[in-house]
Amino acid sequence: MAEFITILDGLEVMMRLGIHPHEVAPQRVVVSVEMTVVYPAALGDDAIEEVLDYDFVRAGILAMVAERPFALQETLCEAIAGLCLADARVRRVKVRTVKADIYPDARVGCEIVRVR
């Protein structure tokens, strides 16, 4: 068995996220995902077909935030975690979202961990 940590870090998206009237307009949200991926054996070839291609996570997040607004960061994190866990090789996922521009002196975020 082989275990790897696959990371998508600092993906900036413009999306509708929040409960306040001023959050109706899209805002900058930074998304980071860390997945523990388990393979049945050590990798033999240097080929993308042998590993989890993180393009599906990036594309899935971009589609998700384009399709619908989210009221809560917690809900957004859950949806992203579900996307990642759809691949049976993902055993653990940590998702962090950060609203980058809410306050002039701080960023606010949410982080969750889900384990299969």
Side-chain angles (χ1 to χ4, degrees):
M1 181 171 69
E3 183 176 291
F4 288 84
I5 305 294
T6 300
I7 301 167
L8 175 68
D9 190 36
L11 175 63
E12 290 191 20
V13 297
M14 292 298 292
M15 65 175 296
R16 292 175 51 202
L17 175 62
I19 59 169
H20 301 292
H22 65 274
E23 294 178 308
V24 171
Q27 63 179 295
R28 187 167 61 108
V29 176
V30 182
V31 179
S32 296
V33 179
E34 181 180 293
M35 296 170 285
T36 301
V37 186
V38 178
Y39 303 103
L43 302 179
D45 295 327
D46 189 21
I48 191 65
E49 296 79 23
E50 288 203 10
V51 298
L52 180 139
D53 184 353
Y54 46 77
D55 286 347
F56 96 92
V57 176
R58 182 181 174 274
I61 292 169
L62 293 175
M64 186 183 305
V65 303
E67 290 173 3
R68 65 174 267 215
F70 286 84
L72 304 173
Q73 289 193 70
E74 291 83 354
T75 308
L76 174 61
C77 287
E78 287 284 6
I80 294 170
L83 169 73
C84 297
L85 290 169
D87 187 310
R89 298 171 295 180
V90 177
R91 301 305 168 118
R92 178 184 183 273
V93 61
K94 179 168 62 171
V95 179
R96 172 182 280 198
T97 61
V98 176
K99 293 181 183 184
D101 303 314
I102 292 296
Y103 302 119
D105 56 352
R107 298 170 11 141
V108 294
C110 178
E111 182 175 285
I112 65 165
V113 175
R114 294 292 175 257
V115 179
R116 186 181 306 278

